[in-house]
Amino acid sequence: MDFSLADLVREHAARQPEAPCLSHDGETISFAELHSRSSRVASALRGSGLKPGERVVVLARNSPVFYELAFGCAKAGAILVAVNWRLSAREVSEILNDASPSLVLAGEEHLSLLPALGPECSVIGLEQDYARWRDACPDTDPAYRSSADDVVAMLYTSGTTGLPKGVMISHRNLHFSVRMAREVWGFGAQSVNLVAMPLFHIGGLGYGMMALSQGGHTVLLQAPTPEPILDAISRYRVTHAFFVPTVIQSLVNVPGVDAMDLSSMQRMFYGAAPISETLLLRAMSVFGCGFSHAYGLTETCGTVVTLLPEDHDPGGPRAGLLRSCGKPVSWAELELFDPHTGERVQQGEVGEIRIRSGMVMRG
């Protein structure tokens, strides 16, 4: 397989340069514009002496900068490290010490989270310096050719059982997200995908590539706030969206939501936490579209188990499936093991989930 993340924006910019690619805060940029901006980023990275395999950290709220950096790093052979801006300064310091970045780009409000960095690492403030740094370079694509197994992004785990660990995501891993979009979740060139989850998380950054990978339109919000989400669905005629259950609860609780025009919605994805059957049924009634549960993890580059719309059968003979995560996708094997003995557990017994797939991280 010869796949590079950078090829996505290259191909769509060549095929449909003026098609809407990304909308945020009232601005819409085309595939050609994202291709140009990300090429400038790549040129700036290479011009600063950054070598393939070196890390570029972004510490910021959702904005188009993430996409410019993701594709710019891929074009330059660099590794994008998206860091959770909600962490404490100590936690950010631990992650940066582990990642050893050559460049850090941070929002002004997050600069105070940064530790003292050595002379080998530069810092760029996004509001003050980023656009000037990017636009000082030509939009010539460096055309660096990555191997499918080269690492293109590194996201850190939540660290619930220890220190956060850097998950190395390759171009090959992300190729399965492209397949997921096309083969399982119904994305196409006419899709409009609402992305409101944080881009430092695989549920934001990985999911945020779904419509884009198919030549569709991505609508990016800075935060998953109920009223702006519902307004964006109506204004942009959103067809696909992913939310965690707490966000879905906030959406269905908005006064007057039942009277809003949400008819453009084709598929809503939910996951990352358990959802009650009561909430799921309410959401299905409000949005009137197909629902899909998504189960995955950073280490699998996103979803490896999904409950498809046809398996949502409230009131029917298979209503119990509403409490299920679904089935593994065709390119993932899933087994349950006893973590102490290493033996497979019997059907109906509790076990540790183990997954084998081309989606599983490097290392």
Side-chain angles (χ1 to χ4, degrees), residues 278-356:
T278 300
L279 174 56
L280 181 54
L281 293 177
R282 169 69 175 141
M284 291 172 70
S285 172
V286 168
F287 289 96
C289 62
F291 273 65
S292 292
H293 187 278
Y295 173 86
L297 46 158
T298 311
E299 292 88 341
T300 60
C301 194
T303 301
V304 285
V305 176
T306 186
L307 186 73
L308 296 174
E310 55 265 32
D311 292 320
H312 287 67
D313 186 30
R318 299 191 303 152
L321 289 179
L322 294 179
R323 296 185 293 275
S324 169
C325 293
K327 298 176 182 178
V329 293
S330 62
W331 49 84
E333 300 173 70
L334 185 150
E335 296 274 6
L336 271 66
F337 288 80
D338 183 322
H340 303 294
T341 66
E343 300 294 325
R344 290 182 176 85
V345 301
Q346 298 299 310
Q347 185 171 344
E349 294 181 358
V350 173
E352 179 182 75
I353 297 172
R354 297 185 183 178
I355 296 162
R356 179 164 54 200

Side-chain angles (χ1 to χ4, degrees), residues 118-315:
E120 68 281 358
C121 181
S122 302
V123 177
I124 293 177
L126 290 178
E127 291 84 1
Q128 308 95 325
D129 305 316
Y130 170 74
R132 183 170 60 253
W133 170 80
R134 178 197 64 198
D135 295 341
C137 294
D139 65 352
T140 305
D141 187 344
Y144 177 82
R145 297 311 304 177
S146 300
S147 154
D149 289 319
D150 286 347
V151 176
V152 67
M154 190 158 68
L155 301 180
Y156 276 77
T157 61
S158 59
T160 49
T161 58
L163 291 176
K165 298 172 180 64
V167 173
M168 299 185 292
I169 296 172
S170 70
H171 295 274
R172 184 185 303 275
N173 295 151
L174 285 171
H175 181 255
F176 286 96
S177 295
V178 178
R179 289 188 61 185
M180 189 80 185
R182 181 179 63 250
E183 299 176 25
V184 181
W185 279 352
F187 284 91
Q190 303 306 311
S191 298
V192 182
N193 189 29
L194 180 64
V195 178
M197 305 311 293
L199 293 175
F200 59 71
H201 189 280
I202 193 64
L205 189 62
Y207 177 76
M209 294 292 178
M210 290 283 165
L212 193 153
S213 73
Q214 307 305 308
H217 184 186
T218 300
V219 177
L220 179 67
L221 298 184
Q222 190 175 87
T225 310
E227 288 79 5
I229 287 174
L230 295 171
D231 176 68
I233 291 174
S234 177
R235 186 195 317 172
Y236 291 100
R237 307 302 294 163
V238 167
T239 59
H240 295 69
F242 168 74
F243 303 116
V244 297
T246 52
V247 173
I248 295 176
Q249 182 75 70
S250 71
L251 294 174
V252 301
N253 285 346
V254 170
V257 67
D258 294 281
M260 294 180 182
D261 181 8
L262 307 174
S263 59
S264 62
M265 285 293 297
Q266 298 173 10
R267 189 84 68 93
M268 181 175 285
F269 308 98
Y270 61 98
I275 189 170
S276 72
E277 192 167 325
T278 300
L279 174 56
L280 181 54
L281 293 177
R282 169 69 175 141
M284 291 172 70
S285 172
V286 168
F287 289 96
C289 62
F291 273 65
S292 292
H293 187 278
Y295 173 86
L297 46 158
T298 311
E299 292 88 341
T300 60
C301 194
T303 301
V304 285
V305 176
T306 186
L307 186 73
L308 296 174
E310 55 265 32
D311 292 320
H312 287 67
D313 186 30

